[in-house]
Amino acid sequence: MSTKQQTLKAPISFSGKGLHTGVRVNMTINPADANTGIVFRRIDIEGQPIIPALCDHVVDTSRGTTIEFGGHRVHTIEHVMSALWTLGVDNAVIDIDAEETPILDGSARAYAEAITSTGLVDQDAERSFYHVTEKMVYTIPEKGVAIILYPDDEFAVSVHVDYNSKVIGNQYATFVPGDNYAEKIAPCRTFVFLHEIEPLIKMNLIKGGDLDNAIVVVENPVPDEQLEHLKKIFNKPDIEIKSGYLSNLELRCSNELARHKLLDLLGDFALLGVRIKGRVWATRPGHFANTEFMKQLKHAIRKAGEKPRFTYDCRKPALYDINDIRRMLPHRPPFLLVDRIFYCDKTDVAGIKNVTMNEPFFVGHFPNEPVMPGVLIVEAMAQCSGILVLNSVPDPENYSTYFMKIDSVKFKHKVVPGDTLQFEIHLLEPIRRGVAVVEGKAFVGEKLACEAVMMAQVVKNKSK
């Protein structure tokens, strides 16, 4: 799998009806800039609101995955998400003129064919991966549902379905590195049991469902009057039942139903927003379990993200000591707030400040209960980001960095004399025209003390 983010080479378009709404819909998947993610844009609504395809925004999983943001929804996104994410699309803006994606033939085959024929392009940004480090489990015992995520170097999925059905039986499906998703998984269609159809209709669902976009499983003999009723529901006078499936259906593969559950799981897992390096074992997965597990995983990632990524060892020589920092930054004591830099590459920098009672600001800032001012913690992170940015030019002593914007500042732990602040700065996107956008975090031990997103500009100093 590529380590670079990817998007489509050109837009691709689809038209059809929504499975549950029955409404005719037009949908175009457009290439998007790096770090956009996959987002839906409701072009039928004034202002064309954006709905990010993330598990945080899942609001309904009744026979499909629905997301909502800002009061606007998109239904049944799992098939297109499955095809885009699994085939390598990290960034896309999906224009849609109704509230539900087109169901097409009930699979992701048309999406996969269009994506592979159009092709992808690498972007100037690295992909984000979540490396699973310990076993994670999600279960719904009363329904026999279990999803287990194990550590692994690559992403792989095994799915087992057993609905106590004499027609379906036990089915298994797998997706491992090197598998051809477009041929193996994408053509597999959604399915429903015959006894579920009437309740779904009463729930105002499957208005666009028919025998051309779903497999109907028939467990028990069907009386003639019920068969006549089904002919009216589907407007097909030649309906018949053979081998446990309605309308003399031919399966595309012997385990098509398990493969479709795998297709759905891949689409729902895409809502994590980062790619997983881990191995999944799922028994009787469904949209609710899939998306709830992703919410739990995202929470775990956020918690893990609040711990330092770099390990500081005071016994090792500094990458940049205070004299090196003085040569790079125009700041001087008492406003030089970084003591040493111990890590730096093209996208990350990590530095240290030892907070002592001798700091001049403690004279007037809570002198009886000394606390380091939050604005100075942000300033220290900005100075670290300046080192990261200036490290990209051959003569950093001739440049300065200036704040343009600070967003999402949060103070989570007070900093007092005796603390050692560890700063970690990550470049969020490539530097363009001297403008850098970075995420900064300040830690005391393993506790996150402050975080912020900062924008700064690199400016060449005026010659004297």
Side-chain angles (χ1 to χ4, degrees):
M1 180 181 291
S2 173
T3 60
K4 291 290 186 181
Q5 293 182 26
Q6 295 180 312
T7 192
L8 291 164
K9 287 183 177 179
I12 51 178
S13 297
F14 306 89
S15 295
K17 60 184 177 181
L19 173 62
H20 296 300
T21 60
V23 174
R24 186 77 182 177
V25 55
N26 300 296
M27 187 174 79
T28 298
I29 306 172
N30 302 286
D33 292 338
N35 298 312
T36 299
I38 299 176
V39 301
F40 288 83
R41 182 164 57 193
R42 287 288 302 273
I43 61 174
D44 58 318
I45 298 175
E46 185 178 356
Q48 299 189 351
I50 295 287
I51 303 105
L54 295 170
C55 57
D56 299 322
H57 306 316
V58 173
V59 293
D60 188 21
T61 52
S62 302
R63 307 300 297 203
T65 300
T66 298
I67 53 173
E68 178 182 315
F69 187 73
H72 306 292
R73 293 189 173 197
V74 182
H75 303 281
T76 325
I77 65 169
E78 60 272 11
H79 295 175
V80 66
M81 288 299 300
S82 179
L84 286 169
W85 196 251
T86 311
L87 290 172
V89 178
D90 300 280
N91 304 296
V93 175
I94 305 174
D95 287 335
I96 187 167
D97 65 0
E99 64 182 60
E100 187 177 21
T101 66
I103 190 61
L104 305 177
D105 73 343
S107 76
R109 181 166 63 181
Y111 296 133
E113 289 175 349
I115 293 166
T116 53
S117 62
T118 300
L120 308 182
V121 59
D122 282 351
Q123 298 179 285
D124 190 18
E126 296 294 319
R127 277 180 168 155
S128 295
F129 291 91
Y130 174 64
H131 296 255
V132 181
T133 57
E134 58 183 17
K135 176 181 173 182
M136 302 182 69
V137 179
Y138 177 88
T139 62
I140 308 177
E142 64 274 17
K143 294 185 178 180
V145 174
I147 303 176
I148 307 172
L149 181 57
Y150 298 94
D152 208 323
D153 294 331
E154 296 183 285
F155 181 65
V157 185
S158 297
V159 167
H160 169 223
V161 296
D162 178 10
Y163 299 103
N164 297 315
S165 165
K166 59 180 180 289
V167 175
I168 298 174
N170 283 296
Q171 289 192 13
Y172 296 86
T174 60
F175 181 74
V176 298
D179 277 353
N180 188 326
Y181 170 88
E183 291 183 2
K184 179 179 176 180
I185 307 299
C188 299
R189 296 160 291 180
T190 191
F191 63 94
V192 63
F193 287 92
L194 180 61
H195 66 265
E196 296 175 313
I197 290 177
E198 291 284 1
L200 289 170
I201 292 173
K202 290 178 181 178
M203 292 168 62
N204 211 27
L205 297 173
I206 63 168
K207 292 179 180 177
D210 59 41
L211 298 181
D212 296 321
N213 57 34
I215 298 170
V216 180
V217 182
V218 183
E219 281 291 311
N220 302 307
V222 177
D224 290 342
E225 60 270 19
Q226 185 180 1
L227 191 59
E228 291 301 317
H229 178 58
L230 291 171
K231 291 178 181 179
K232 293 178 182 178
I233 289 177
F234 292 111
N235 193 28
K236 283 187 177 290
D238 58 345
I239 282 180
E240 59 179 334
I241 299 169
K242 188 175 180 181
S243 301
Y245 297 100
L246 201 59
S247 197
N248 199 16
L249 183 85
E250 289 189 15
L251 296 178
R252 291 174 178 171
C253 55
S254 60
N255 62 339
E256 183 172 356
L257 279 62
R259 292 194 196 188
H260 185 81
K261 281 296 183 181
L262 174 53
L263 183 158
D264 281 347
L265 183 145
L266 292 170
D268 289 335
F269 272 39
L271 302 180
L272 184 65
V274 299
R275 295 184 181 275
I276 298 171
K277 287 194 174 182
R279 179 166 41 91
V280 182
W281 173 262
T283 301
R284 296 187 70 170
H287 297 301
F288 177 79
N290 298 343
T291 55
E292 285 298 308
F293 187 46
M294 287 303 96
K295 291 176 184 178
Q296 289 188 14
L297 184 54
K298 193 159 195 175
H299 178 73
I301 293 172
R302 285 172 179 154
K303 294 293 289 183
E306 292 180 353
K307 295 181 181 179
R309 294 184 297 126
F310 302 100
T311 301
Y312 171 59
D313 187 344
C314 63
R315 298 168 297 180
K316 293 182 178 180
L319 182 63
Y320 300 136
D321 64 16
I322 191 64
N323 293 317
D324 297 320
I325 294 169
R326 283 165 56 91
R327 283 190 286 269
M328 296 181 74
L329 296 179
H331 307 79
R332 292 296 177 265
F335 220 69
L336 181 55
L337 299 171
V338 183
D339 293 331
R340 60 171 54 191
I341 298 296
F342 67 91
Y343 180 87
C344 188
D345 62 18
K346 291 182 179 180
T347 60
D348 293 273
V349 65
I352 291 295
K353 174 175 175 52
N354 296 303
V355 182
T356 74
M357 193 60 199
N358 296 327
E359 308 284 356
F361 48 77
F362 284 136
V363 175
H365 194 261
F366 298 0
N368 296 323
E369 189 70 31
V371 177
M372 184 173 178
V375 291
L376 293 185
I377 300 174
V378 175
E379 171 62 27
M381 290 194 298
Q383 291 180 18
C384 275
S385 67
I387 291 171
L388 172 64
V389 175
L390 292 172
N391 196 48
S392 66
V393 298
D395 52 343
E397 67 277 3
N398 294 322
Y399 290 82
S400 296
T401 55
Y402 296 94
F403 267 135
M404 297 178 69
K405 186 168 65 170
I406 309 173
D407 286 326
S408 305
V409 180
K410 295 178 183 177
F411 301 101
K412 298 191 173 185
H413 183 74
K414 67 181 181 179
V415 179
V416 300
D419 284 343
T420 297
L421 271 172
Q422 177 169 321
F423 307 109
E424 296 189 354
I425 312 299
H426 175 66
L427 188 67
L428 293 177
E429 54 189 64
I431 299 172
R432 296 185 179 91
R433 298 181 181 179
V435 176
V437 180
V438 302
E439 178 185 57
K441 293 186 177 183
F443 298 89
V444 176
E446 290 200 343
K447 291 184 178 179
L448 180 64
C450 177
E451 61 182 342
V453 175
M454 300 171 284
M455 179 184 290
Q457 186 170 27
V458 187
V459 178
K460 192 165 188 176
N461 299 330
K462 295 181 180 179
S463 57
K464 295 182 180 179

